[in-house]
Amino acid sequence: MFDNAPWAGLVASAIAIVLILVLAIVIRNLAHRLITRMVNRAATGGSLTSRFRKSAVPEGIDALLHERRKQRAETMGSVLKHIASIVIIGTGILTVLERLTIPIAPLLTSVGILGVAIGFGAQELVKDFIAGMFMLLEDQYGVGDVIDAGAAVGTVEAVTLRVTRLRDVDGRVWYVRNGTITRIGNESQGWSRAFMDVPVAYDADIVGVRVLLEHVAEEIWADPELRESKIVEQPHVYGVEQLSDSSLVFRITAKTLPSAQAEVSRDLRLRVKTALDSAGIPMVASA
């Protein structure tokens, strides 16, 4: 009679291997589902501006913050899913190799040595990835933001864990490694500010100039197009901001939606110049 023991052992090993692989896939799917749930919860969390409605923050900023939060959560979710897949599937494969009596100790040793060698040779790459991870977690900037990254200033077109792609005002595209960015100036986060300095002569009617500028501020705030899509709150007129040897400088400012300050500034300059001309008040060059 034939000995069925070897066949029984092979069948048992095959069943064990299949179970290990199936279990790894199930755990991976569960991990992905858990990560997806966490991402959805983070992306659809409570409104960040709902607690500050008394400050007259428009819903437009709330929508922008929600979109940024959603993009950041989805990016981090994708990274976590890849890490979970590598860890879980890799552990399953190692378990299968051990089940097949293939020694994995030399393999683990080789992988460890290779990892150390790659770590020494790719320190800058690791630095870029770590900086990119923290940049995404802290929401320092996102696609569409206008930032000053030190090496370049421009609009963010793409963000990855390794590089940030910017386009400056001349249309030039810059690729900045995340690990080389030591400080970020973001002009588009939350809100922006448009302002104009108005220099007038020393003998000008200070009270009259201030009243005229306040009238311009009220006019801008009353414009439905600007109020609904660009301006956050009514513009403010400050007193004499500067004194020079030839002029008095007033300042008028307007809080705007992110990246809308340039357009509001152009409109502000046009309205102020028109109002001064109508009142016969000349602007002078400030020293």
Side-chain angles (χ1 to χ4, degrees):
M1 296 180 63
F2 293 99
D3 188 1
N4 293 325
W7 293 103
L10 290 175
V11 171
S13 297
I15 293 175
I17 291 172
V18 171
L19 289 176
I20 291 171
L21 294 177
V22 170
L23 183 61
I25 294 174
V26 170
I27 295 175
R28 171 184 172 274
N29 291 339
L30 289 176
H32 281 201
R33 185 171 299 179
L34 178 61
I35 292 172
T36 300
R37 183 175 300 177
M38 293 172 56
V39 167
N40 292 337
R41 182 176 300 177
T44 59
S47 170
L48 293 179
T49 59
S50 60
R51 294 169 291 177
F52 306 98
R53 289 301 180 192
K54 295 182 180 180
S55 62
V57 178
E59 294 184 359
I61 288 184
D62 194 22
L64 290 173
L65 291 175
H66 172 73
E67 185 62 27
R68 290 174 64 90
R69 187 166 59 245
K70 180 180 178 182
Q71 293 177 355
R72 185 173 71 253
E74 289 177 349
T75 302
M76 292 306 302
S78 177
V79 173
L80 291 176
K81 286 180 180 179
H82 281 89
I83 294 175
S85 296
I86 293 173
V87 172
I88 296 171
I89 299 300
T91 302
I93 292 175
L94 291 177
T95 305
V96 169
L97 292 177
E98 185 178 16
R99 183 68 185 182
L100 295 174
T101 66
I102 297 176
I104 62 173
L107 178 62
L108 294 176
T109 303
S110 301
V111 170
I113 295 174
L114 181 62
V116 172
I118 293 176
F120 278 111
Q123 294 182 48
E124 296 297 329
L125 183 62
V126 174
K127 181 180 178 182
D128 294 340
F129 271 78
I130 294 175
M133 287 283 290
F134 279 103
M135 179 271 296
L136 290 172
L137 285 171
E138 297 169 358
D139 190 26
Q140 297 175 12
Y141 55 86
V143 175
D145 286 354
V146 179
I147 66 170
D148 179 355
V153 179
T155 303
V156 179
E157 291 192 338
V159 179
T160 67
L161 289 179
R162 196 180 72 85
V163 298
T164 296
R165 190 176 77 220
L166 304 175
R167 187 178 297 273
D168 62 19
V169 293
D170 297 325
R172 186 181 296 109
V173 178
W174 295 82
Y175 294 88
V176 183
R177 287 180 26 231
N178 295 330
T180 63
I181 301 176
T182 57
R183 55 105 172 120
I184 289 289
N186 194 330
E187 299 181 10
S188 309
Q189 201 166 49
W191 52 270
S192 300
R193 174 169 282 139
F195 74 93
M196 177 184 178
D197 287 335
V198 184
V200 297
Y202 265 97
D203 58 355
D205 182 3
I206 295 178
V207 176
V209 172
R210 183 177 184 122
V211 170
L212 184 144
L213 294 178
E214 288 177 347
H215 177 71
V216 172
E218 294 173 357
E219 183 182 84
I220 291 176
W221 184 241
D223 189 325
E225 181 180 353
L226 292 175
R227 186 168 180 173
E228 293 176 3
S229 61
K230 296 180 179 66
I231 295 181
V232 173
E233 62 182 31
Q234 182 171 349
H236 295 283
V237 178
Y238 296 92
V240 178
E241 184 73 15
Q242 297 178 19
L243 289 173
S244 70
D245 57 354
S246 61
S247 64
L248 304 172
V249 180
F250 290 81
R251 174 168 293 180
I252 179 171
T253 67
K255 185 180 290 187
T256 72
L257 290 175
S259 302
Q261 71 271 25
E263 187 173 353
V264 174
S265 294
R266 288 191 290 269
D267 189 271
L268 187 63
R269 287 191 288 268
L270 178 61
R271 291 175 187 263
V272 169
K273 181 63 169 63
T274 302
L276 291 175
D277 291 344
S278 300
I281 302 175
M283 296 179 63
V284 299
S286 58

